[in-house]
Amino acid sequence: MKFHSDWKLTQWQSVERVANNDLTRVVALVPIIGYLILFNDQIAEIASFRMIAGVEPGVETPFYLTGIAKMRLVFFGSLLLLISNLIFKIFRPQVLGLAKGDIEFAARVGERYSVHELADMEAHVFSDHWKPRLPLFWKVHDKFRSRKPVVSGYRPDVRSHMISRHGDYISYLAREWWTEEMHTFRSARFVSLSLGITGILLLAIPTLDITQAVVGDVYLKLW
């Protein structure tokens, strides 16, 4: 049996760490108010990069980049993070809000999912169009290889008996289904991840430039 699994960094749970973390959500607001802050002449004078670095007037600039170049990098980096965040929110699987990992999702399924929901999940996993994702589900137990549904046919009033008898199977089934959900909308995942990483790099460049200027100024004053 051939298993189809993208590199974990490109799956939705990893994309979320780049495109929808606390920093991204805050920085993504910058393009919305960027023209009021970043490109406002009066504010730009107040928040002078030379002042931040502690450079005296008339002294040769310690920066490698001009002030406007750093502002543009911040603006466009933030814009890319905003687009990355929007793509993530549009295409992300809803199940990602319920659990951040397959094991956590399997535990939630055992606690909350009804017999009907489990049977529906199983029907999808055993359908002809399904792409096997998790070797554990298909290889650990011989009965999984038969590709025959196990949950289908149980009545809602015997759910506890079903969980007791097929608990491991249901856990692996949930993990297989969750893993498939992390592979949906492949193009959207790659675009969101690429824009997010590029945005972070653009933001890092002016930060590093300011950092080296501040550290250099402190070093000169100490010695």
Side-chain angles (χ1 to χ4, degrees), residues 52-160:
I52 295 174
V55 180
E56 299 294 334
V59 178
E60 183 181 356
T61 179
F63 299 111
Y64 293 108
L65 300 173
T66 63
I68 192 62
K70 285 193 281 289
M71 286 186 174
R72 286 172 176 169
L73 286 170
V74 170
F75 180 78
F76 287 111
S78 303
L79 183 61
L80 292 182
L81 286 179
L82 173 62
I83 298 173
S84 172
N85 183 255
L86 290 176
I87 293 174
F88 172 82
K89 289 183 176 179
I90 292 171
F91 293 98
R92 66 180 174 181
Q94 295 301 315
V95 70
L96 195 56
L98 180 65
K100 303 302 182 185
D102 59 333
I103 296 178
E104 181 185 358
F105 177 69
R108 297 290 183 95
V109 167
E111 296 171 356
R112 303 181 182 182
Y113 273 45
S114 66
V115 173
H116 174 75
E117 289 173 319
L118 288 171
D120 184 62
M121 180 186 298
E122 186 180 51
H124 279 85
V125 171
F126 284 105
S127 63
D128 293 334
H129 69 272
W130 189 267
K131 293 182 179 180
R133 303 288 187 183
L134 192 68
L136 284 173
F137 177 69
W138 304 101
K139 293 183 177 180
V140 170
H141 299 299
D142 289 340
K143 61 182 179 181
F144 291 176
R145 297 176 184 168
S146 65
R147 295 183 67 83
K148 294 181 179 178
V150 174
V151 176
S152 299
Y154 273 92
R155 303 191 312 270
D157 58 329
V158 292
R159 182 184 184 279
S160 59

